[in-house]
Amino acid sequence: MTRRMIDSSMWQNEKFHELPLCARLLQISLINAADDQGRTKATPKYLKVQVFPFDEVSLDEIQQWLEIIQANGTIILYTAEGKQYAQLANWWKYQALQYAQPSQHPRPPGWQDRIRRTATKGLIVTYNWQTVDGVQLTDTCDQDGIPLPKQHAKA
């Protein structure tokens, strides 16, 4: 089970409050459901089952709310392999993960993931990773979390 932070500034955000009430609930659920890269399935049918199982809402309403959230600048909706996904646009601004596994979902076009995971016992690999004080670490794996070949120094 993932634990995601809902930043308290969300409740004072005017753009958030411009959303219809059910769209606000959907936005919060997208944060909660997101994987370590801030990505989740976003088909209306999937979200109906996950977020609104006991509510009288249509798939068209869910799609409309997703598009409103996207227009609000919170998510990037995209289609890959015939399925719709959502990428939370400001994921790394609000989530402070110590480790981040590669996503099981395809990346949106032009998106750069951030990876920090244990590849083997004692070996931590990183890609596009910054320390809490903003220092960019050297990439030791690719964007899919596969360790890079070790570079041997020449004598």
Side-chain angles (χ1 to χ4, degrees):
M1 179 164 126
T2 58
R3 295 179 190 258
R4 302 296 179 212
M5 188 175 110
I6 305 296
D7 193 281
S8 62
S9 67
M10 177 182 281
W11 306 111
Q12 287 77 39
N13 185 310
E14 290 180 20
K15 288 176 75 174
F16 179 71
H17 285 281
E18 290 172 359
L19 297 172
L21 183 60
C22 285
R24 284 185 248 159
L25 178 60
L26 181 57
Q27 180 175 324
I28 293 167
S29 73
L30 293 172
I31 295 168
N32 186 247
D35 63 18
D36 286 354
Q37 299 301 322
R39 200 170 298 138
T40 187
K41 294 178 192 176
T43 61
K45 189 172 185 178
Y46 173 79
L47 294 171
K48 166 75 173 137
V49 171
Q50 296 298 314
V51 184
F52 302 106
F54 305 110
D55 301 305
E56 296 289 329
V57 298
S58 71
L59 300 181
D60 288 339
E61 287 175 305
I62 294 171
Q63 183 63 39
Q64 181 182 16
W65 296 330
L66 285 167
E67 291 169 10
I68 292 169
I69 296 168
Q70 177 174 250
N72 204 19
T74 304
I75 62 172
I76 300 164
L77 288 177
Y78 62 102
T79 302
E81 302 163 1
K83 297 178 184 168
Q84 182 170 267
Y85 297 92
Q87 172 70 54
L88 287 144
N90 294 313
W91 182 251
W92 294 104
K93 182 177 178 182
Y94 294 106
Q95 301 298 318
L97 286 79
Q98 183 177 1
Y99 291 92
Q101 295 292 324
S103 180
Q104 298 300 310
H105 307 303
R107 289 181 283 280
W111 189 265
Q112 286 271 317
D113 283 346
R114 294 183 186 177
I115 308 291
R116 184 169 190 260
R117 69 178 196 90
T118 303
T120 60
K121 188 175 183 176
L123 176 64
I124 296 174
V125 294
T126 60
Y127 175 82
N128 192 29
W129 196 264
Q130 293 180 355
T131 62
V132 291
D133 55 352
V135 175
Q136 185 74 34
L137 298 180
T138 302
D139 293 343
T140 56
C141 69
D142 67 14
Q143 192 164 235
D144 295 317
I146 300 169
L148 297 173
K150 290 186 179 182
Q151 301 294 321
H152 297 287
K154 293 183 181 180

